[in-house]
Amino acid sequence: MQKVCYDDSSLKSLISPDVYTSFADQLEAVETMLNKKTGPGNDFLGWLELPEEHSPSFLDSIQKQADDARQQCDVFICVGIGGSYLGAKAAIEFLSSTFPQQRTPEVLFAGHHVNSDYLKDLLSHIEGKRVIVNVISKSGTTTEPGITFRVLRKWMEDAYGQEEAARRIIATTDPEKGALRKLAERNGYRTFDIPDNVGGRFSVLTPVGLLPIAVAGIDIKELVSGAREAMKYCSGTDLTTNIAARYGVNRNCLLREGKTIEMLAAFQPQFTFVNEWWKQLFGESEGKDRTGIFPASVVYTTDLHSMGQWMQEGLRTIFETFLRVDETRETVEVPHFEDNEDNLGYLVGKSFEYVNEKAYEGTLKAHRDGGVPAATITVADRSADSLGQLFYFFEKTCAYSAYLLRVNPFNQPGVEAYKKNMFAFLGKPGFEDFE
Amino acid sequence: MQKVCYDDSSLKSLISPDVYTSFADQLEAVETMLNKKTGPGNDFLGWLELPEEHSPSFLDSIQKQADDARQQCDVFICVGIGGSYLGAKAAIEFLSSTFPQQRTPEVLFAGHHVNSDYLKDLLSHIEGKRVIVNVISKSGTTTEPGITFRVLRKWMEDAYGQEEAARRIIATTDPEKGALRKLAERNGYRTFDIPDNVGGRFSVLTPVGLLPIAVAGIDIKELVSGAREAMKYCSGTDLTTNIAARYGVNRNCLLREGKTIEMLAAFQPQFTFVNEWWKQLFGESEGKDRTGIFPASVVYTTDLHSMGQWMQEGLRTIFETFLRVDETRETVEVPHFEDNEDNLGYLVGKSFEYVNEKAYEGTLKAHRDGGVPAATITVADRSADSLGQLFYFFEKTCAYSAYLLRVNPFNQPGVEAYKKNMFAFLGKPGFEDFE
């Protein structure tokens, strides 16, 4: 069942029909580029059919490892950065209970920055706990996860001895080559493969994301079957049914009309890291050749009390995409108090979600009146099925949108620039002469 | 001792000297508007001298309540939104250990969104724990904290009985009037005053922020004395010493040259909520009259692997302000491994901070080469003193910057727009006819 809806009805009058048509007319070409794999970056289109290609036995094997890990550890530490971090983090935060104390095992992250204070806190936190480390890196030489894994590997070998440490380290890496693959073979770590034709920001439905997500107790078969469902409605050139294409067309229309910032505005706090995952997906796919919408995000109503003023009356260079859950898991109602000192008595018996819904409707109208074009993505519920659909919907939108913008969605040449400087400053062999 | 530095040396060649001079020349007028309180919004300038006006006995009284609370609760729940939430959250996340399990008591937040799932998780988390609730609202009628406080008040009265619940509820509110003041008087809650002349986003050094910060075990006298120190160097019209004025002038120059987005790029994860606090401060102060820089934030190196590509090669409508700590608390060094499979052996014995520093230098150079003007704020360490200075430095910068932009930094007329719609949709008495 389709669990992601995209409502752009309030955008219609704000986009010139001619501009819309000119982009829509090019959709067939883009759809062909994707289906026939003829566009730029076409060797990284593995994510397109991934949800259909995962066999039940493949998912079973991940589930089996995850079940074992859930028995054998209190803390499961993922070592990775960028796409090797954000997908799992987004899924776990969206689908789990709020407080870390409510999660067993705890899935934690490391190697996603370079910070001794964090690392010492982590080492102190895991003291006396049963730990498994999942190091996630295609090459095994990326600086942040690389040096962090050195620290954790040493900690594990000191704590467990070399043999048991090796049993408690899982490497998710290139199927054949690379430093981490070699290290895993030499030391006998269990391994999972990162497919060659899937880039980091599209990797949440590979073992990169699936293993930690399963360890967190989330049903990965449901997640993948959700993505498979979204494959159906996120394809074809009919813009009434293919909501990914429509979202991609709208983004390009709005950019062309001077809206250079997109604000993804979630109405539930559980979306916080879905927002972050989305920013990597779109920022890294489109921010090149001196173009690309700037992806920003907020969580409402929290941030109506911080960025709300700017949204309402600031520079009119922005459009907004709301992101909301239709059915929360729980329902809390506003309780009655005789005194009614706060004048909120008119809400007694109403659910929090009813109030939140009216806040959303009020914001949509207010921002629209203030000159911010807005559309809304609604996800049915906080289920793995819904999230799998949402992931795939965003990925497909991104491909349409970037191809319409005429950039290669699947490379990231600019990410190397700071690294080259950093290597030179660090005196890395081979980079001495780089300036 | 000055613990905040602002290095804009790499900006110099990117800003036209004429533009810089034209803003700098107006600084005297702005300084006078602030000192003589003659500018727009001048009835909200209480934050300017707040750090000097806090008497030792006033801070002692907060500390005393905090010490009692630390004895009497396992969980201290702040109920507030916007400025009644972000300051305390920013300070606690910057100065505390990373993991919630390492914090006693836990300071948690509620009423900063409208979400049953969060609230049910919170209620389940506090079950069997000793709880104190600090409800923070000038009026006591704001919807989000209002309905959340109803739920928590009911929970407290059920758990403790009315009398003990009243002893465990602290209201931070208007000194004289308003719904929460009346409720506190009627029920005998302890209270703290929110000064009339300090707006929400400038309130971190009032009891709004100070009480929860002290409960988290942070030295609030040191925090306030830090702000007092910053008052010295963040004043006067000499742009070589007044770094707040210089930052404010630079922001206006960059906006005038088409840089409509400012990216606050922190290089330590502990800054995550300082970034959020900063976004409210600048977004709400400047985002009006269809102008104002769009404030965005990232945490590096984490987000070099997500927004880094856009920063390097996207639309050139952005400038960047780095935010870094000079001395972390801990030092972890990269350990040696005989195999050196990861080729990171050249970093053995180097501290993580050395690597992070080179990442920062590499990023500064790469982004500058990529057409992003950048400056750097360096904070000496993760101390309350440094953070107090940073808070005041940002607040003063904001005042200079907004006055130079010729907007009123201290109002937020746009925040009402969504509320009016929401009230109408909710059927709030008096809003039936609003459309």
Side-chain angles (χ1 to χ4, degrees), chain A residues 219-237:
Chain A
D219 185 337
I220 55 171
K221 285 194 176 172
E222 189 187 319
L223 188 75
V224 170
S225 86
R228 204 154 51 227
E229 181 69 24
M231 287 177 72
K232 294 185 206 157
Y233 58 83
C234 294
S235 71
T237 53

Side-chain angles (χ1 to χ4, degrees), chain A residues 101-113:
Chain A
Q101 297 93 331
Q102 295 166 335
R103 303 176 182 184
T104 321
E106 258 192 292
V107 177
L108 298 177
F109 296 86
H112 57 314
H113 38 51

Side-chain angles (χ1 to χ4, degrees), chain A residues 81-82 97-99 101-102 106 112-122 124-125 140-141 144 146-148 150 153-154 179 182-183 186 260-261 263 268-270 280 284 287-295 301-302 304-307 309-310 312-316 318 328-332 335 337 339-342 344-346 348 352-354 356 358-359 361-363 365-366 370 382 412-415 417-418 421-423 425-426 428, chain B residues 81-82 97-99 101-102 106 112-122 124-125 140-141 144 146-148 150 153-154 179 182-183 186 260-261 263 268-270 280 284 287-295 301-302 304-307 309-310 312-316 318 328-332 335 337 339-342 344-346 348 352-354 356 358-359 361-363 365-366 370 382 412-415 417-418 421-423 425-426 428:
Chain A
I81 196 165
S97 297
T98 305
F99 297 94
Q101 297 93 331
Q102 295 166 335
E106 258 192 292
H112 57 314
H113 38 51
V114 185
N115 185 253
S116 295
D117 290 356
Y118 177 89
L119 208 44
K120 281 270 181 160
D121 285 344
L122 177 66
S124 136
H125 180 64
T141 57
E144 295 91 333
I147 60 176
T148 304
R150 279 193 174 226
R153 179 183 162 193
K154 185 156 187 334
K182 274 178 78 177
L183 188 71
R186 181 203 298 262
T260 55
I261 302 172
M263 182 65 95
Q268 274 80 23
Q270 293 83 12
Q280 183 194 13
E284 216 166 60
K288 50 196 68 157
D289 307 340
R290 312 247 150 173
T291 187
I293 293 164
F294 180 82
T301 65
T302 305
L304 285 171
H305 296 253
S306 68
M307 288 298 294
Q309 169 64 37
W310 197 99
Q312 192 66 44
E313 300 186 342
L315 272 179
R316 302 297 76 178
I318 198 161
T328 55
R329 292 181 182 168
E330 304 285 350
T331 305
V332 176
F337 280 98
D339 54 60
N340 196 32
E341 206 68 81
D342 56 11
L344 294 166
Y346 74 104
V348 167
F352 271 55
E353 277 51 55
Y354 175 80
N356 199 40
K358 299 303 161 193
E361 291 169 9
T363 305
K365 177 168 160 37
R382 285 179 60 205
Q412 50 284 332
V415 176
Y418 93 92
N421 292 339
M422 177 178 75
F423 292 151
F425 294 147
L426 285 170
K428 181 172 178 174
Chain B
I81 196 165
S97 297
T98 305
F99 297 94
Q101 296 94 331
Q102 296 167 335
E106 258 193 292
H112 57 312
H113 38 51
V114 185
N115 185 253
S116 295
D117 291 356
Y118 178 89
L119 208 45
K120 281 270 181 159
D121 285 344
L122 177 66
S124 137
H125 179 64
T141 57
E144 295 91 333
I147 60 176
T148 304
R150 280 192 174 226
R153 178 184 164 193
K154 185 156 190 328
K182 274 177 79 177
L183 188 70
R186 181 204 299 262
T260 55
I261 302 172
M263 181 66 95
Q268 274 80 26
Q270 294 82 13
Q280 183 194 13
E284 216 166 62
K288 48 196 70 158
D289 306 341
R290 312 246 150 173
T291 186
I293 294 163
F294 180 80
T301 64
T302 305
L304 285 171
H305 297 252
S306 69
M307 288 298 293
Q309 170 63 37
W310 196 100
Q312 193 66 45
E313 301 185 341
L315 270 180
R316 303 296 75 179
I318 197 161
T328 55
R329 292 182 181 167
E330 305 284 350
T331 305
V332 176
F337 279 98
D339 56 59
N340 195 33
E341 205 69 81
D342 56 11
L344 293 167
Y346 75 104
V348 167
F352 272 55
E353 276 52 53
Y354 175 79
N356 198 41
K358 299 304 162 195
E361 291 169 11
T363 305
K365 178 168 160 33
R382 284 178 61 205
Q412 52 283 332
V415 175
Y418 94 90
N421 292 339
M422 176 178 75
F423 292 150
F425 293 148
L426 285 170
K428 182 173 177 173

